[in-house]
């Protein structure tokens, strides 16, 4: 085994231990947690802006927003009504890891929140390997990215419980086949729960909101 | 310095040595080389399909197409007329590295090509750190991804020589401000040469083609 693979395994195993601890703490506090992952520009922040605007009235939501640089997404989430938002800047790393989440949780009063939403860095590869202690991963893709993405980035779709196909308002202008996209995704992970929606027009958001009120895999 | 950072530095320094060797070999053979990077779904393969269709008639182009899984992109490039296409499957890694390119070059007759085009894995973060021996990086973004991308993923835009803004046919349906996108990109890298185009309608492709016939930074 090469030194690189050895150290990667060690890092992931340490990460998993921290993640297990996070999950236990969150469960002790009856907090459900979701880790949102996608390519850059798929619309994670837009979806979370809408979500916080709707669900934030009744549910106490804590949010951790990951960035490679800037705190733009965290600022957008605050402006959208997010009251408990913690930005995390990875400083170049292409994913959040459990240690970053653990540190961000230090400043959250877990008794005061019922749901933890993590917005990961925009990347369809590495974030799939890092358990953050969440109950489930939610993977977004937008129709402009093409219906082949689940096949090309299978680990992320295999390890997610929910897939959101965003920007369906752009369907008439893209060569995207919804049936093939669903088929490709379910080929990788037959248990994926799939939502189709548009943050821009609002189409499909109600279904997403009502599922999210009591998210079950 | 942590063990992780130490080994990362070592890997990158080894990568740079191999990359320098590649660049030297390519220059000895008068081959100009470009490394195409972007998020998944920005349209790298679509642009290269168009490019090979147009430029491939007069210029001998060798292509190396990187994938995390599948060989879909390499197959698309072959179908578009690419005569010398080498697929590389990283098997999970989120970027190509110089060693992979060096291995792919073993099967190319460098005396027979004038241009080497590398299509990297779809990822706006890690591929920025790995020199592949190319003359320049070409970063793509599509208008559906938002005009803030250069600020959020600065390393990639800083290390690229060319930025292509793709899918301009979708401008009327997106909240994308072209002036702001250009301003954000030039703030990160004032020397970026910027092309705006649409692979779908063909708008802007001619400017790109004529620059590519004799690409200069």
């Amino acid at each position: 085994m090469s030194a690189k693979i050895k150290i990667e395994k060690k890092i992931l195993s340490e990460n998993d231990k921290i993640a297990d601890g996070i999950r236990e703490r969150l469960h002790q506090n009856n907090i459900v947690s979701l880790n949102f992952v996608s390519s850059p520009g798929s619309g994670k922040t837009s979806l979370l802006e809408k979500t916080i605007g709707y669900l934030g009235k009744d549910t106490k939501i804590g949010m951790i927003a990951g960035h490679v640089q800037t705190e733009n997404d965290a600022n957008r989430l605050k402006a959208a009504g997010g009251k408990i938002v913690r930005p995390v800047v990875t400083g170049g790393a292409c994913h959040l890891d459990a240690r970053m989440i653990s540190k961000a949780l230090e400043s959250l009063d877990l008794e005061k929140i019922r749901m933890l939403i993590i917005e990961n860095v925009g990347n369809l590869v590495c974030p799939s390997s890092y358990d953050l202690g969440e109950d489930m991963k939610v993977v977004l893709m937008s129709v402009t990215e093409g219906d082949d993405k689940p096949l090309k980035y299978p680990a992320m779709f295999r390890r997610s419980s929910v897939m959101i196909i965003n920007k369906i308002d752009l369907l008439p202008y893209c060569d995207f086949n919804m049936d093939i996209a669903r088929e490709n995704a379910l080929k990788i992970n037959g248990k994926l729960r799939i939502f189709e929606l548009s943050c821009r027009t609002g189409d499909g958001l109600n279904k997403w909101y009502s599922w999210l009120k009591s998210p079950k895999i």
Side-chain angles (χ1 to χ4, degrees), chain A:
Chain A
M1 200 188 295
S2 79
K4 187 185 172 192
I5 294 175
K6 254 191 210 161
I7 204 153
E8 271 174 1
K9 282 205 170 190
K10 190 160 173 270
I11 288 166
L12 285 175
S13 132
E14 283 172 3
N15 182 82
D16 284 354
K17 268 186 219 155
I18 301 172
D20 284 340
I22 292 172
R23 193 160 16 246
E24 206 180 313
R25 275 184 68 202
L26 294 176
H27 285 178
Q28 278 166 356
N29 286 278
N30 295 315
I31 297 169
V32 63
S33 58
L34 299 101
N35 175 6
F36 286 73
V37 290
S38 82
S39 299
S42 298
K44 290 186 296 305
T45 316
S46 297
L47 179 65
L48 294 177
E49 282 174 329
K50 296 277 180 188
T51 301
I52 195 91
Y54 182 86
L55 214 67
K57 294 171 216 145
D58 306 315
T59 311
K60 299 275 184 193
I61 301 179
M63 306 182 105
I64 297 175
H67 319 71
V68 178
Q69 296 292 345
T70 79
E71 296 189 0
N72 288 6
D73 295 340
N75 293 336
R76 282 175 61 188
L77 295 174
K78 283 180 199 165
K83 291 190 185 74
I84 311 166
V85 181
R86 299 290 178 270
V88 174
V89 179
T90 69
C94 64
H95 56 271
L96 292 176
D97 64 30
R99 197 178 298 275
M100 297 173 194
I101 301 302
S102 180
K103 196 157 185 298
L105 288 181
E106 283 172 14
S107 71
L108 287 180
D109 185 348
L110 296 188
E111 288 182 8
K112 291 215 173 123
I113 63 172
R114 291 281 63 81
M115 180 178 280
L116 177 68
I117 286 182
I118 302 168
E119 181 181 353
N120 217 313
V121 165
N123 180 353
L124 268 186
V125 191
C126 301
S128 75
S129 303
Y130 287 82
D131 183 2
L132 304 181
E134 74 272 2
D135 289 313
M136 63 186 93
K137 285 188 176 65
V138 178
V139 61
L140 271 80
M141 59 182 283
S142 73
V143 304
T144 61
E145 293 167 35
D147 43 43
D148 58 347
K149 286 300 153 295
L151 300 182
K152 291 175 71 179
Y153 301 88
M156 191 64 99
F157 291 84
R158 195 172 296 125
R159 291 174 190 156
S160 293
S161 307
V162 177
M163 171 169 89
I164 291 176
I165 302 179
N166 189 19
K167 306 191 190 178
I168 57 170
D169 55 302
L170 296 178
L171 275 172
Y173 317 109
C174 298
D175 304 317
F176 183 94
N177 186 316
M178 186 62 81
D179 291 336
I180 289 180
R182 296 179 73 102
E183 197 183 304
N184 285 340
L186 293 170
K187 212 182 283 176
I188 299 296
N189 177 358
K191 291 181 180 167
L192 266 179
R193 181 180 290 262
I194 303 176
F195 295 90
E196 300 170 16
L197 52 83
S198 162
C199 292
R200 199 156 189 257
T201 63
D203 269 0
L205 280 176
N206 279 337
K207 269 195 187 175
W208 160 247
Y209 295 151
S210 47
W211 176 81
L212 193 60
K213 278 183 187 167
S214 168
K216 279 197 188 70
I217 300 172

